[in-house]
Amino acid sequence: MNKTCVAIHLPSDESSNYHGKPLILQNVMFCPVLTWCTRAWTERGVQRFYLVCEGTCSQAILDCFPGNVEVETVLPGNWAKTAERLTAGGWRIEEAREPVMPLGNLMISFHSMTELNQLQVACHDAVITHHQSKGVRIMDPASAYIDPRVEIGEGTLILPNTILRGTTVIGENCEIGPNTMLTDCQLGDRVTVNSSQAAGSELRSDVSVGPYAHIRPGCVVERGSKIGAFVQLKNCTLGEETKMAHLTYVGDADVGSHVNFGCGTVTCNYDGFEKHRTVIGNDVFIGCNANLVPPVTVEDGAYIAAGTTVTKDVPSDSLAIGRPRQENKEGWAKRNRELKQK
């Protein structure tokens, strides 16, 4: 058992805070400094931490620690006795009495945001080097910003102007970017995300996203599906090989496999008071400029004609048409031009 513990002395003087947060909670590459530190310590086998501070610690501080470690809060006046007890029990104590940042095997202290910004350059380079050593290809390291918590599989290509944040996990042989931001996402293998944003969602293997797509939290996109240009998803599930090539909004919906969405399709999930869910089965074809007004279910194999507003359930293998019948007025255009010319 590793008998090393770390005591972190948190400042009680609010005048040392920047924008309401102490230096130890400032972000470096989207990640609090304290999280960088706890990751470095736990990688060395440290499993016990003491927070020496006045009163109770905020949730933001506790969130910086992995779930499998012991964290105990100690009042500054009681720390000497606690340290004496730990030493008597055979524990070796490391104390951080000022903000520190891990760089390689060192803990570098800093005392201002200016110094922290200077450290951030080295932290950026360290993260890039780490991923490159694992077989990740980064075309322009200077324009890639990667949170230290991010995991990337071998063979994945990161194109310029890509931002990867939070607990994002990317599989092997993916292509991410350019001009892309992923936050707290899970990606399978061979996923492509081009000039798009996604947050809090899961994209399974062989999914294609973009350009200019926006995937909001709560989405699961199954294998082989295509999310094209100017598409937005929110709190929905999509089955395998489902395609929405462009200009589509799907929110609060459960969509089956092999569904085709025509251009301009919208799920009208909000009635001004509550959100309602749309259910679409497998092998459904949805024509262009269709509106689905939930709660509504479109069953397997159904067709929805272009321009249709769906307000009631569509049975399996049926055609739904909800639009005015076309009327042609012969000669109207010619007469209109002659009238305007006069």
Side-chain angles (χ1 to χ4, degrees), residues 230-289:
F230 303 104
V231 171
Q232 184 178 106
L233 304 181
K234 173 254 180 185
N235 189 27
C236 65
T237 60
L238 271 60
E240 294 185 359
E241 300 288 342
T242 285
K243 294 178 173 57
M244 47 186 74
H246 39 206
L247 295 165
T248 296
Y249 170 72
V250 175
D252 299 301
D254 297 300
V255 181
S257 300
H258 302 281
V259 176
N260 185 86
F261 285 80
C263 175
T265 299
V266 173
T267 58
C268 309
N269 55 318
Y270 185 51
D271 64 4
F273 299 94
E274 296 179 353
K275 301 291 179 68
H276 301 279
R277 205 152 186 91
T278 299
V279 178
I280 300 172
N282 299 322
D283 302 302
V284 171
F285 181 91
I286 302 175
C288 294
N289 198 33

Side-chain angles (χ1 to χ4, degrees), residues 74-109:
V74 181
L75 292 171
N78 297 336
W79 172 242
K81 289 184 178 180
T82 301
E84 183 179 343
R85 174 176 55 83
L86 289 168
T87 302
W91 287 88
R92 186 175 72 87
I93 304 172
E94 291 185 20
E95 296 194 56
R97 292 185 173 273
E98 56 188 4
V100 292
M101 187 73 195
L103 281 178
N105 296 323
L106 301 176
M107 285 288 186
I108 308 298
S109 63

Side-chain angles (χ1 to χ4, degrees), residues 140-157:
D140 181 12
S143 70
Y145 294 88
I146 304 175
D147 192 307
R149 295 166 290 186
V150 170
E151 299 177 21
I152 308 175
E154 183 178 0
T156 288
L157 172 63

Side-chain angles (χ1 to χ4, degrees), residues 61-312:
I61 292 176
L62 296 177
D63 286 344
C64 294
F65 291 86
N68 59 342
V69 302
E70 299 179 41
V71 183
E72 184 177 334
T73 302
V74 181
L75 292 171
N78 297 336
W79 172 242
K81 289 184 178 180
T82 301
E84 183 179 343
R85 174 176 55 83
L86 289 168
T87 302
W91 287 88
R92 186 175 72 87
I93 304 172
E94 291 185 20
E95 296 194 56
R97 292 185 173 273
E98 56 188 4
V100 292
M101 187 73 195
L103 281 178
N105 296 323
L106 301 176
M107 285 288 186
I108 308 298
S109 63
F110 61 95
H111 306 91
S112 68
M113 285 298 298
T114 300
E115 293 180 1
L116 182 58
N117 289 334
Q118 292 170 347
L119 285 172
Q120 181 166 251
V121 176
C123 294
H124 168 273
D125 294 344
V127 171
I128 295 296
T129 300
H130 166 76
H131 288 293
Q132 289 177 326
S133 71
K134 299 294 184 180
V136 178
R137 296 174 295 155
I138 303 176
M139 182 171 288
D140 181 12
S143 70
Y145 294 88
I146 304 175
D147 192 307
R149 295 166 290 186
V150 170
E151 299 177 21
I152 308 175
E154 183 178 0
T156 288
L157 172 63
I158 305 299
L159 294 172
N161 300 320
T162 292
I163 299 173
L164 305 176
R165 305 181 62 169
T167 56
T168 294
V169 177
I170 299 173
E172 297 181 351
N173 299 309
C174 298
E175 184 175 300
I176 311 299
N179 308 314
T180 292
M181 182 164 69
L182 305 179
T183 305
D184 297 325
C185 288
Q186 310 293 310
L187 276 62
D189 298 333
R190 300 174 300 281
V191 174
T192 63
V193 184
N194 173 18
S195 299
S196 299
Q197 293 193 18
S201 295
E202 183 174 355
L203 309 177
R204 302 279 169 82
S205 295
D206 302 300
V207 165
S208 172
V209 176
Y212 316 121
H214 184 194
I215 299 178
R216 294 162 59 188
C219 295
V220 177
V221 181
E222 293 288 352
R223 180 185 296 271
S225 290
K226 177 179 175 59
I227 312 303
F230 303 104
V231 171
Q232 184 178 106
L233 304 181
K234 173 254 180 185
N235 189 27
C236 65
T237 60
L238 271 60
E240 294 185 359
E241 300 288 342
T242 285
K243 294 178 173 57
M244 47 186 74
H246 39 206
L247 295 165
T248 296
Y249 170 72
V250 175
D252 299 301
D254 297 300
V255 181
S257 300
H258 302 281
V259 176
N260 185 86
F261 285 80
C263 175
T265 299
V266 173
T267 58
C268 309
N269 55 318
Y270 185 51
D271 64 4
F273 299 94
E274 296 179 353
K275 301 291 179 68
H276 301 279
R277 205 152 186 91
T278 299
V279 178
I280 300 172
N282 299 322
D283 302 302
V284 171
F285 181 91
I286 302 175
C288 294
N289 198 33
N291 301 302
L292 289 83
V293 184
V296 69
T297 297
V298 181
E299 296 183 358
D300 293 351
Y303 267 59
I304 297 175
T308 295
T309 296
V310 178
T311 58
K312 60 183 180 180

